[in-house]
Amino acid sequence: MKFFLTILNSILDHCLTWFLPKWRRKALLVRVGAQKYVNYKRDLLTPEKVAELEAGIATLRDALLHWNREQVVSASNKLEMAVDSLPDSSVSALAENVEVLFVILVIFLGIKEYIVQPFRIPTGSMYPSLNGIRVIPCEEKPGFLTRVADWMITGSSYVEEKADSHQTIIDYRQSTSWLILTRTTVVFNNGATIEVPSAENEVRGYFRKTKGTEFASFSPGDIIMKARVDTGDLILVNKMAYHFRQPELGEVFVFNTKGINPLKRYTGDQAGATHYVKRLCGLPGQTLTIKRPYLLIDGQPAQPWTIQRVAARQFPYNEVGYHPVSPAIDPRTNTEIPCYLAEGQSLRLVKNTRYSYLNQYAALGDNTVSSLDSRYWGPVSQYNIVGPACFVLWPFTVHWGMIP
């Protein structure tokens, strides 16, 4: 009985701290402070003093357990006086704050490493199911209040840049900040740069659309870029789920691309440390083929409704559905890059009954006209998978909430 009473009191004291009477809150702080002092200074205290403090802590704990105000106040005052009479009994506010921040950091890193992790969707490969970062030409930048509202609600920001000299774009460099924001630096021949909060392919696409080339030239006073940048969805990934269940056909999942060697032929070295967000469209042991607009699994149209809605080609999904791809040419070697789901081609996914981490899955984007996925670079091994995407955390658009 005492054990359950102790547990109940602990829950009340930790979860409802600010609803407790003042005398009890103070006593809890005294008990925690005294226990911390004993833990930190045990090797510097005499055995008699350690025994005295531990006895006082036990007396206070017992009084708290029975909610006896008089006993609690008395035991709390005695313990506080006993601790205050000892050297280095007071802890500075800085030390307390550093300790709290350290604990918060450890908890955050533990959650991120083992439970859930946020990811930003940098491209439009999952549109319209999920939004990636988009760079959209605009005529005028709205007023300050409108820009603030756009950023808070939809995550939109605005970029407006003018040339101050004769300059030509010579390079694009993509990076990811500690805030999980993808950025692209546009580099000019005169050493000037501009930063755009978007993925490289979107920025290149903006210049192709507005200037006709990715390496446009500008004269002094020319508009380099005037665009609205719609942020990609910030999603939470459940890193624990696949420890208790198998990946399911039709769900959105996140995987890292380390070791997917064919992908490097399309993306270069960045494939070694990139995470992708796709639809899981094939399980171990299944054979995939594409017969426009359908994705066929073992010769039959895939059944999950999240896959069927892409094949249905109804707005806002594209009018193509699933379609086979054609081999691309590697510009560095001028050789053909093999693909895995071309016209008349099948992708057989390995099911390894002995080593499950070698099982293979297929990852396809819902926006099949703009998705670099398993059709090009092949299967994803189970050891690459991070977990299912479960929730859109921000921005607050129609996608906010659970991910289907």
Side-chain angles (χ1 to χ4, degrees):
M1 182 64 181
K2 185 176 180 179
F3 173 77
F4 292 106
L5 190 60
T6 302
I7 296 297
L8 178 60
N9 273 276
S10 179
I11 293 173
L12 290 173
D13 290 340
H14 286 86
C15 299
L16 302 174
T17 302
W18 295 109
F19 298 96
L20 297 174
K22 186 177 180 179
W23 59 268
R24 187 172 182 87
R25 291 204 307 270
K26 179 185 176 182
L28 289 170
L29 291 174
V30 170
R31 190 194 70 185
V32 171
Q35 187 64 66
K36 188 182 298 183
Y37 183 84
V38 171
N39 292 340
Y40 289 173
K41 304 288 185 178
R42 184 181 296 273
D43 57 332
L44 301 177
L45 298 172
T46 64
E48 294 77 13
K49 184 57 68 175
V50 171
E52 178 187 340
L53 291 176
E54 289 183 338
I57 293 171
T59 300
L60 179 55
R61 184 184 296 113
D62 189 64
L64 285 167
L65 185 63
H66 294 90
W67 285 73
N68 188 312
R69 178 174 178 174
E70 291 184 3
Q71 291 182 6
V72 167
V73 172
S74 176
S76 175
N77 290 337
K78 289 180 180 179
L79 183 59
E80 187 175 19
M81 290 176 61
V83 174
D84 287 343
S85 65
L86 298 171
D88 300 325
S89 60
S90 61
V91 181
S92 69
L94 177 61
E96 287 282 0
N97 290 332
V98 169
E99 182 178 331
V100 169
L101 289 175
F102 178 76
V103 172
I104 292 174
L105 180 63
V106 169
I107 292 173
F108 170 77
L109 292 176
I111 291 174
K112 179 177 178 292
E113 184 67 26
Y114 298 107
I115 302 176
V116 294
Q117 183 172 349
F119 285 96
R120 176 79 66 179
I121 299 181
T123 70
S125 68
M126 287 298 295
Y127 181 82
S129 304
L130 294 169
N131 287 335
I133 304 174
R134 295 185 297 168
V135 181
I136 305 170
C138 67
E139 294 297 326
E140 296 294 336
K141 183 189 293 187
F144 175 74
L145 292 179
T146 302
R147 296 202 305 272
V148 171
D150 284 349
W151 183 85
M152 293 178 64
I153 298 172
T154 65
S156 298
S157 60
Y158 294 83
V159 177
E160 187 172 324
E161 297 285 347
K162 285 186 178 181
D164 54 10
S165 63
H166 292 282
Q167 53 195 92
T168 301
I169 299 173
I170 60 171
D171 196 13
Y172 296 85
R173 298 170 185 168
Q174 180 174 301
S175 61
T176 303
S177 74
W178 68 278
L179 290 173
I180 327 172
L181 299 176
T182 300
R183 309 190 70 84
T184 296
T185 302
V186 183
V187 184
F188 297 87
N189 62 338
N190 62 351
T193 62
I194 61 172
E195 279 199 350
V196 185
S198 177
E200 179 181 329
N201 63 330
E202 277 291 317
V203 180
R204 288 176 179 265
Y206 169 87
F207 287 108
R208 286 196 301 267
K209 186 185 301 180
T210 58
K211 308 299 180 183
T213 174
E214 298 175 9
F215 301 99
S217 297
F218 304 91
S219 299
D222 286 353
I223 297 294
I224 297 176
M225 174 174 279
K226 187 180 283 188
R228 186 183 83 239
V229 181
D230 291 345
T231 188
D233 290 336
L234 179 63
I235 63 174
L236 291 180
V237 177
N238 185 344
K239 302 181 75 170
M240 293 288 290
Y242 292 155
H243 291 288
F244 300 99
R245 68 170 178 86
Q246 293 298 311
E248 296 177 359
L249 193 66
E251 66 184 350
V252 178
F253 75 132
V254 173
F255 56 94
N256 68 65
T257 60
K258 188 175 182 180
I260 304 179
N261 295 321
L263 179 57
K264 295 182 180 180
R265 300 284 299 276
Y266 291 95
T267 63
D269 293 336
Q270 66 172 338
T274 300
H275 287 84
Y276 277 14
V277 182
K278 302 291 183 184
R279 182 81 57 190
L280 199 158
C281 291
L283 298 174
Q286 295 179 337
T287 299
L288 275 59
T289 53
I290 293 178
K291 185 176 182 180
R292 306 181 194 205
Y294 301 104
L295 172 68
L296 305 183
I297 297 179
D298 296 332
Q300 300 297 321
Q303 294 303 306
W305 68 274
T306 51
I307 298 176
Q308 289 183 346
R309 66 185 179 182
V310 176
R313 299 175 294 172
Q314 295 180 354
F315 182 83
Y317 290 86
N318 66 68
E319 299 177 352
V320 177
Y322 291 100
H323 64 95
V325 297
S326 301
I329 301 297
D330 188 338
R332 295 167 295 185
T333 61
N334 201 33
T335 58
E336 186 178 278
I337 303 176
C339 54
Y340 289 77
L341 277 172
E343 191 77 46
Q345 199 172 22
S346 296
L347 174 60
R348 172 72 178 177
L349 300 173
V350 170
K351 183 174 184 178
N352 194 309
T353 55
R354 185 174 182 181
Y355 303 109
S356 60
Y357 62 89
L358 295 177
N359 284 338
Q360 293 181 339
Y361 300 82
L364 302 181
D366 287 357
N367 184 16
T368 56
V369 297
S370 182
S371 177
L372 182 61
D373 51 36
S374 288
R375 295 172 300 165
Y376 292 93
W377 41 258
V380 178
S381 295
Q382 186 160 322
Y383 60 77
N384 285 104
I385 297 176
V386 177
C390 57
F391 196 89
V392 175
L393 192 63
W394 189 75
F396 303 111
T397 62
V398 294
H399 291 160
W400 185 87
M402 301 301 295
I403 298 174

